[in-house]
Amino acid sequence: MAKIFFCIDLGGTNCKIAVFDEEGTIIKSWKTSSKPFSNPENFLSAIKAELLRFEEFKSFSAISIGVPGLISADGVVVVSPNFPEWKELKVKQLIEQEFSCPVYVENDANLFVLGEGFAGSAKEYSSYVGITIGTGIGGGIVIDGRLLKGAKGMAGEIGHMVIHPAGPECGCGNKGCLEAYSSGLAMKRQMLQLTGLELEAIEIYGLAKRGDKKAQKVFEKSAYHLGIGIANIVNILDVPCIVIGGGISSAFDIMEESIRKGFREHTFKIHFDTVKILQSQLKDQSALYGAFSLIEKESS
Ligand SMILES: [Zn+2]
C-alpha cells in the first residue's frame, strides 16, 4: 500500500488538514474549527475524529502538526497564545501513543517558512526568510537548508524587531516593534487614528484599491516599515530571498513599492539590486506543505 501522511495546521480559528502522498502531493484537504482542540482534555479525541474523516486508508506513516506558540524540541507545546489552556501539553507524545506512528510538532510560522522552500516562492533558495503578516507578525529563518531554531527554539520572532524605540506600543509590552507598525492590528489602529473608523485590514485594503487616500497611506506606512525590517534582516543574514505570507500578503500588490522603498533606504546597494522580495505562492496551504517537508527532513 502506498504511504500516506497526515499534515495538520492548527491555527487560532481554523484547523486545516491535508493528506499527502509520498511525492508531497495533496490527495485530500479540508478545514474545520479549532475550537474542539482548545480544551486539553478533548484534544486527542478531536484529532482522532478529524483523521477518521479520511476513510480510504486505515493506516498512515506519520503525522505532522503545526501549532502557534513555543514548542520544545521533544514536541511539548510550552505556551500557545491561541490555546491558553494547553499548559505544557505533550502533543507529540500523546498523538504517538494513540496512533503508534512518528509524530512531528513545530511552530506554525516555521512550517510556513519550510513550506515556501518545499513548494512555494523560495523553492530555488537554500537560504531565505519568511515573514507572515496577519493580526500579528511571525516568521522563520532558513540558512543553508536548515531552519534556524536558536537556543530556546525562539529564533525568527521578526515581529518583535524594534524599528523605532519611541514607536507605538506592541502587544509584547515593548515599544516600536515591527508588529506595532505593519501587522493587521497596527493597520487597524492607524486607520482609526486617521479617520475615526474601526475597520479590519481587509476592508482598509478594499478602500485603498478603490483610491481612498487615507487607506492608501495606512498601507504605504505599514509597508515602508516592513521594508526597514527586511533591510535589518538582510543586513544581518545576507539572505537572497524574503517571502511574505499570511492574510495581509494578499495586499502585496499595493505594498510592494513602499516595502522596496523602506528596504532601499536602509540596506546596501548590492542587497537592493539582488535580493528578491516575493509574495507567498501557496497562500493558506504553506504550513501544510511545511508540515510535509518537516516529515521528509526529520525522517531522512
Ligand atoms: Zn513586540
Side-chain angles (χ1 to χ4, degrees), residues 160 170 172 177:
H160 301 288
C170 180
C172 72
C177 295

Side-chain angles (χ1 to χ4, degrees), residues 162-169 175-177 181:
V162 176
I163 300 293
H164 197 296
E169 254 175 56
K175 273 187 177 175
C177 295
Y181 281 105

